Amino acid sequence: MRKGKKWMAALGAAALVMAAMSGCGSSASTQTTAGTQAVQGTQESKETSGGETSAAAEETKNVNDDGTVNNPEQVAVDANKLVMWSLFSGGDGGFMTKMIEEYNGTNPTKQVQSIMLVWADYYTKLQTAVAAGKGPDIGISHASSLPQLVEDGVVQPITSYLEELGIDLSQNYSQASIDAVTFDGEVYAVPLDTHAEIMYFNKEILEKAGVTLNAAGGVDIKSADDFYAVCDKIKAVIPEDGTTIAITNNGDDPYRLWWATYFQMGGTPIVSDDGKKVTLDKEKAVKAAEFVKGLYDKGYVAEGIDDHQKFFQTGKAGICIGGTWAVGAFEQTDNLSFIPMAFPKLFDTDNCWADSHTFILPTKNSRNEADSKAAVEFMVAASMKGGVTWAGSGQIPACKEVLASDAYKALPYRSSYMSEVEKAVLPAKVATFNGMKKGMIDSLDTIWTGKGDAASGIDALYDELESNLP
């Protein structure tokens, strides 16, 4: 384990905040996560100008409507359980809660108590808590954020615990998944899933627009022109308060669409594998940005969409370009008939954006060896045995045994986008990537919002990449 790092370096904190805001499940959803923990009721009442604030009021203040907590340190924890912090505040939160409840019901070595943090706060609070020696026993990290957590000493390796438990990850996970969590020969996390950007179609709107489904029940889109043709048909029947494509006007989702488009156009890696050189193909990056901006300019995207997932749930959007994590929420939305499909091949190669969730063991000197081993035992069981439950959220399980199971194959829709695992282009495994991503999103936003053209936006993006090189 690396030591001597400044865990709260300004760049690291800013990058991890951005990572938290940009991962899956950040969209609000109609599903409220079950199992919200009560906030510690032993807080002393505070006097205010209007009287005393009761402990109950403090509890209510800390817990948000979606079950997240603002201050995880205030949550009453069971000393006999392992504490896990998670960031699943979107449509996938309830599935993680269910998975933990199922695990606790198996009479494990040690049960787990989950605390769900506010999405945008997760990585910063994790980093701060670990630095103060008050971190959780178990955490979640995106694969793209893991290099920085390892570099900063926020997580510790789990190789020895896996060996004690007799777990050989190569028997259950792809080499790509294992490589993503291995640093200097040490395993730092257990892979949980792959989550990708896919397309959703409102089936009723497709029928109204005269878009015929293929034999597999999907939409035939094999080029950008095919996509435009479908969009034009949908646009002709969309109500005035609707939108052809539900996607935000800035932030992560247009960035992910640009990412997929750039690599479909044959774009080179954004940075070198060692993270020391920018290798972006600026010409293709500009073309990809022009394609994405064209969707707004053609009137396919309504202005002011802050939550495209929720907008699609209203039934007023023909298409939603969003993450796999929305599947579970859409399935539970009344009167929504939808079709999910893998991100289509619009250009030369068949690629898409994706990331992965992993279970991590945060650095915590006060945790004894037995508890550390029990924490890893949970990680493995949750990924392997709880994978089908987690697949209910729409995520693609990382465990090969889960993917091959009859239970997984029986779930509707999932087979229509499983190919995303093979199509995905993941970011370079470098600690500075999240800082780079923030700069890329900020630069691309100037294009989508009309503050600059594609060429100037990509110039700024390139400069941001260079400024984050080590």
Side-chain angles (χ1 to χ4, degrees):
M1 178 176 61
R2 293 173 173 82
K3 297 183 178 180
K5 298 289 182 182
K6 294 184 178 180
W7 291 337
M8 289 304 293
L11 177 59
L16 286 174
V17 169
M18 185 60 202
M21 295 177 68
S22 63
C24 63
S26 58
S27 294
S29 107
T30 58
Q31 178 178 329
T32 300
T33 301
T36 302
Q37 294 78 17
V39 181
Q40 190 165 1
T42 57
Q43 287 181 307
E44 295 182 3
S45 299
K46 298 179 180 179
E47 291 189 359
T48 65
S49 58
E52 293 187 352
T53 301
S54 66
E58 287 296 318
E59 293 174 7
T60 302
K61 183 178 179 181
N62 191 43
V63 181
N64 302 305
D65 290 341
D66 61 358
T68 58
V69 299
N70 300 312
N71 297 299
E73 298 85 358
Q74 293 181 9
V75 176
V77 297
D78 187 335
N80 295 315
K81 294 183 178 181
L82 299 169
V83 176
M84 172 178 158
W85 285 8
S86 85
L87 41 63
F88 300 112
S89 58
D92 42 13
F95 294 94
M96 178 56 66
T97 297
K98 182 180 179 183
M99 189 163 70
I100 292 171
E101 290 173 347
E102 290 173 347
Y103 176 78
N104 287 342
T106 64
N107 192 31
T109 302
K110 201 156 189 178
Q111 293 190 335
V112 174
Q113 175 181 349
S114 178
I115 300 174
M116 189 168 63
L117 279 64
V118 174
W119 184 263
D121 295 345
Y122 175 79
Y123 283 105
T124 300
K125 287 187 179 295
L126 174 66
Q127 198 172 37
T128 302
V130 168
K134 298 179 180 180
D137 300 302
I138 305 164
I140 294 289
S141 174
H142 291 86
S144 59
S145 297
L146 191 56
Q148 185 174 345
L149 295 181
V150 172
E151 180 71 19
D152 292 347
V154 177
V155 294
Q156 65 183 73
I158 61 172
T159 310
S160 61
Y161 301 114
L162 291 172
E163 291 174 352
E164 287 182 39
L165 293 167
I167 301 298
D168 180 0
L169 293 183
S170 67
Q171 299 299 308
N172 293 283
Y173 299 92
S174 69
Q175 191 58 49
S177 292
I178 297 172
D179 289 345
V181 299
T182 303
F183 299 81
D184 296 333
E186 292 276 7
V187 177
Y188 277 82
V190 174
L192 176 59
D193 65 37
T194 295
H195 49 278
E197 197 86 342
I198 64 176
M199 280 193 186
Y200 300 89
F201 295 85
N202 183 303
K203 191 173 181 180
E204 293 180 356
I205 291 177
L206 289 181
E207 292 174 353
K208 188 176 181 180
V211 177
T212 304
L213 302 183
N214 58 31
V219 181
D220 281 325
I221 298 175
K222 299 178 180 179
S223 67
D225 287 338
D226 286 348
F227 184 56
Y228 290 145
V230 172
C231 288
D232 287 337
K233 289 181 179 180
I234 293 173
K235 185 179 179 183
V237 300
I238 282 293
E240 194 171 313
D241 60 344
T243 185
T244 301
I245 302 173
I247 191 170
T248 54
N249 298 111
N250 53 46
D252 282 279
D253 286 280
Y255 155 75
R256 292 168 185 159
L257 177 56
W258 170 82
W259 179 280
T261 304
Y262 170 75
F263 284 104
Q264 285 201 0
M265 289 180 170
T268 52
I270 304 294
V271 295
S272 58
D273 288 341
D274 60 8
K276 296 181 179 180
K277 182 179 180 182
V278 177
T279 53
L280 178 82
D281 184 325
K282 289 181 70 173
E283 182 179 352
K284 287 185 172 64
V286 171
K287 289 182 178 179
E290 289 173 340
F291 167 76
V292 177
K293 182 60 164 62
L295 300 180
Y296 296 95
D297 293 343
K298 292 175 184 292
Y300 294 148
V301 185
E303 293 184 4
I305 298 177
D306 296 321
D307 187 335
H308 61 305
Q309 179 176 317
K310 182 176 287 187
F311 197 106
F312 187 74
Q313 287 175 295
T314 67
K316 296 179 181 179
I319 302 170
C320 178
I321 300 176
T324 49
W325 54 90
V327 172
F330 288 171
E331 286 180 314
Q332 298 179 36
T333 303
D334 293 337
N335 303 315
L336 180 64
S337 178
F338 71 98
I339 302 168
M341 58 179 272
F343 193 89
K345 180 183 176 183
L346 302 177
F347 298 97
D348 300 329
T349 60
D350 198 4
N351 296 123
C352 69
W353 172 92
D355 204 337
S356 302
H357 290 122
T358 68
F359 285 112
I360 57 173
L361 187 69
T363 301
K364 187 177 182 180
N365 292 333
S366 63
R367 183 181 55 234
N368 61 44
E369 286 294 296
D371 282 355
S372 292
K373 181 179 177 181
V376 176
E377 187 175 2
F378 162 77
M379 298 177 198
V380 172
S383 178
M384 294 184 182
K385 299 185 183 303
V388 173
T389 297
W390 184 236
S393 68
Q395 316 286 32
I396 305 171
C399 179
K400 293 187 288 186
E401 185 177 348
V402 174
L403 291 173
S405 69
D406 291 338
Y408 179 74
K409 292 177 181 178
L411 292 172
Y413 306 126
R414 275 66 178 177
S415 61
S416 66
Y417 57 82
M418 279 183 62
S419 62
E420 298 289 74
V421 174
E422 305 300 327
K423 295 165 51 175
V425 178
L426 301 177
K429 198 171 126 182
V430 295
T432 55
F433 179 75
N434 280 321
M436 293 178 178
K437 182 169 67 173
K438 181 184 184 305
M440 285 193 284
I441 290 176
D442 289 345
S443 299
L444 292 170
D445 280 349
T446 65
I447 303 172
W448 322 142
T449 57
K451 296 178 181 178
D453 60 17
S456 60
I458 296 303
D459 281 342
L461 182 150
Y462 195 95
D463 291 342
E464 287 286 347
L465 290 171
E466 285 199 319
S467 69
N468 281 281
L469 294 177

